[in-house]
Amino acid sequence: MALTDAQARKARPAEKDYKLSDSLGLFLFVTTTGYKSWRFKYRFAKKEKLLTFGAYPEISLSEARDLRDAARKLLREHKDPAIVRKQEKAAAISSADQTFEKIAREWHEEQKARWSAAHAETVIESLERDIFDAWGGLPIAEINIPMVVDLLKGVQRRGAVETAHRLRQRISAIFVFAGASGLVTADPADKVGAVLKPMPKKTKMPALLEMEKLRQLLKEVEGPLSTANVITKLASRFVALTVPRPGVARAIGWAEFEGIDWETCETDDPLWRIPPDRMKLEKDKKDEVAFEHIIPLSTHAIDVLRVVRRLTSRASYVFPAIRYAHRPMSENTIAYAYNRVGYQGRHVPHGWRAAFSTVMNERAERAGRDKDREIIDLFLAHIPKGVSGSEGAYNRAAYMPRRRELAQEWGDLLMEGMAPARDLLGATQKG
């Protein structure tokens, strides 16, 4: 006769442990202290075995029967229920330890050798800013599609549609990495791009193109009303003078500069030599020295470097992050400084390249210097498709005397009426 819940509830301790049988191997075991637990007796590989399901009444009679039926199903599949339970317990412990943040950092460590230092920092910063606080501490196997959608839509709501799409790609890549390690069986970010807002169409970077307005921008971002940190102000001026891609500028190391004696005021054809792996190049060119980019430095750019060296000579980067000296400046730091003094939608750090090209080409046209157009393109590292390594090796140093003249001419125009870089050290420094 099958056991009833009333019998289980009324079972009292006795002088010896005893059991109350239910059916199909299930019984309630009662100890001399009155502790009651559900147990299941079965045979596997010609041996009698015992499996404990848990205490009564925490596990009810009907729940115990369900557990027994599940164990019997495993037996029909030629699996030992006790072994399966141990495997499930081990997997649960392992899953709890394999958090999204832990796996994401392992993925990042594996991938960063393929990326530039600046891009590697951008990726980890995006994960720390937008994901880790939300569910970085959760087991990666517990993260599902609704959670991913909710997080990405939150990013969208602040107007960062492109960032939401980038994050989806990174989350998906992390799950693929975890899947290869056997930690997950599905990628919850794989299809959610369909519910995100479409990527905005690419538009031209906003840029001021008149010299007076460009100087006014620098005066306002460097002025006492600006909330920018002094290193941000110096980085902004350096980007304006050298017109690199901003992502390249923010991750400069001191070793990239040549021809400058930091102990004296002497220079010898000073230049900034940017390795090819930090340039915007096709992947197969990033390891070719022929495609490094060389920027001749004006006296104004050198003045900026001498000033910032007083602050960051021991840091990993010339322009480090405000809070972390071992990290490069955030990709949006200079842009935010421009926005806060009223230039949102009017000028971005990348806009200095358009300004340099426009102003210097107009001056070349007025002076009848047709060859300058090609030299200006070289200054901006505009490499035509199909350029070979030998051509790149020639182009990187081609017309260097004229490029140096253009760098100085641009610097003289831009710095006309501007305070010297050293005066920025006396400006009010805020966050």
Side-chain angles (χ1 to χ4, degrees):
M1 180 185 296
L3 189 65
T4 66
D5 188 62
Q7 290 173 318
R9 190 169 58 252
K10 292 177 181 178
R12 296 288 182 266
E15 292 183 2
K16 294 183 179 181
D17 297 341
Y18 66 95
K19 60 183 180 181
L20 297 174
S21 297
D22 181 48
S23 60
L24 301 175
L26 178 67
F27 62 90
L28 183 69
F29 187 75
V30 185
T31 69
T32 56
T33 63
Y35 179 77
K36 307 172 188 178
S37 60
W38 294 109
R39 301 188 179 186
F40 172 58
K41 185 169 68 175
Y42 64 97
R43 293 188 69 81
F44 187 82
K46 298 182 180 180
K47 293 182 179 180
E48 186 174 286
K49 294 195 168 189
L50 197 64
L51 187 63
T52 301
F53 292 141
Y56 176 86
E58 284 83 358
I59 297 177
S60 67
L61 174 58
S62 62
E63 289 172 330
R65 287 170 177 166
D66 289 341
L67 292 169
R68 173 204 62 196
D69 293 343
R72 284 170 57 83
K73 181 176 183 295
L74 290 172
L75 289 169
R76 290 194 298 273
E77 296 170 355
H78 308 291
K79 297 177 183 177
D80 185 342
I83 299 298
V84 172
R85 170 174 278 197
K86 288 179 181 178
Q87 291 171 338
E88 290 175 345
K89 185 177 180 180
I93 293 172
S94 175
S95 174
D97 185 53
Q98 302 298 337
T99 65
F100 180 86
E101 180 172 349
K102 178 176 181 289
I103 303 305
R105 290 191 183 277
E106 289 177 4
W107 166 80
H108 181 266
E109 192 66 27
E110 287 286 331
Q111 301 299 315
K112 70 179 186 180
R114 308 177 189 180
W115 301 329
S116 68
H119 181 66
E121 287 294 337
T122 296
V123 171
I124 198 65
E125 284 174 3
S126 72
L127 298 177
E128 291 171 344
R129 180 187 63 239
D130 293 316
I131 301 178
F132 289 167
D133 283 349
W135 27 264
L138 295 178
I140 192 168
E142 293 184 10
I143 295 166
N144 56 31
I145 293 174
M147 292 168 68
V148 175
V149 170
D150 183 62
L151 183 141
L152 295 180
K153 286 196 169 183
V155 173
Q156 277 190 163
R157 281 193 290 273
R158 67 172 195 247
V161 176
E162 192 169 349
T163 298
H165 281 272
R166 284 202 194 102
L167 286 172
R168 187 209 67 77
Q169 292 171 345
R170 288 165 189 167
I171 294 169
S172 183
I174 291 164
F175 271 91
V176 170
F177 175 78
S181 305
L183 300 176
V184 296
T185 57
D187 171 11
D190 182 34
K191 306 294 184 184
V192 301
V195 302
L196 298 178
K197 293 178 181 177
M199 288 275 282
K201 292 182 179 179
K202 293 289 184 181
T203 57
K204 287 186 177 181
M205 300 283 189
L208 300 172
L209 303 177
E210 297 173 23
M211 188 53 67
E212 283 299 325
K213 292 181 179 179
L214 292 167
R215 292 192 200 102
Q216 186 60 32
L217 162 60
L218 286 178
K219 287 177 181 177
E220 291 185 26
V221 80
E222 295 175 1
L225 298 181
S226 170
T227 60
N229 178 278
V230 65
I231 293 176
T232 304
K233 294 178 180 181
L234 289 164
S236 166
R237 183 178 285 205
F238 186 75
V239 167
L241 288 164
T242 55
V243 295
R245 292 182 174 87
V248 171
R250 73 187 188 90
I252 317 168
W254 285 106
E256 292 180 18
F257 298 112
E258 300 177 10
I260 306 173
D261 187 331
W262 299 113
E263 302 302 323
T264 70
C265 293
E266 295 181 6
T267 60
D268 181 17
D269 292 335
L271 55 84
W272 173 17
R273 191 182 298 273
I274 306 171
D277 65 333
R278 298 214 303 111
M279 293 297 294
K280 185 180 180 181
L281 295 168
E282 296 170 15
K283 191 172 182 180
D284 63 342
K285 296 177 182 175
K286 283 185 173 285
D287 294 327
E288 294 188 36
V289 175
F291 289 98
E292 68 182 1
H293 182 48
I294 299 173
I295 298 179
L297 297 172
S298 67
T299 56
H300 308 285
I302 295 168
D303 287 345
V304 172
L305 292 176
R306 290 193 185 281
V307 172
V308 78
R309 192 169 173 83
R310 301 184 201 176
L311 306 173
T312 69
S313 62
R314 296 184 180 181
S316 302
Y317 299 94
V318 176
F319 302 111
I322 295 171
R323 294 182 178 84
Y324 306 101
H326 65 287
R327 291 186 178 182
M329 179 176 287
S330 170
E331 62 180 334
N332 294 317
T333 298
I334 298 175
Y336 288 155
Y338 293 173
N339 292 349
R340 287 195 290 266
V341 292
Y343 285 85
Q344 184 169 6
R346 297 171 60 197
H347 193 87
V348 295
H350 198 280
W352 289 111
R353 294 168 62 78
F356 173 82
S357 178
T358 300
V359 171
M360 300 310 286
N361 272 303
E362 286 178 354
R363 289 173 66 84
E365 185 177 352
R366 288 197 298 268
R369 297 194 301 261
D370 295 339
K371 192 65 177 178
D372 273 6
R373 182 174 296 277
E374 179 184 347
I375 300 172
I376 290 166
D377 281 343
L378 284 174
F379 201 104
L380 295 169
H382 290 162
I383 300 176
K385 290 184 178 180
V387 170
S388 67
S390 59
E391 290 173 310
Y394 168 75
N395 283 341
R396 64 179 172 153
Y399 308 108
M400 188 53 71
R402 181 58 185 151
R403 285 160 70 178
R404 193 172 293 283
E405 290 172 0
L406 288 175
Q408 189 62 44
E409 184 179 343
W410 168 254
D412 291 344
L413 287 168
L414 195 58
M415 291 295 103
E416 185 180 324
M418 297 291 295
R422 64 178 178 274
D423 285 7
L424 296 180
L425 290 178
T428 302
Q429 294 184 36
K430 300 181 181 180

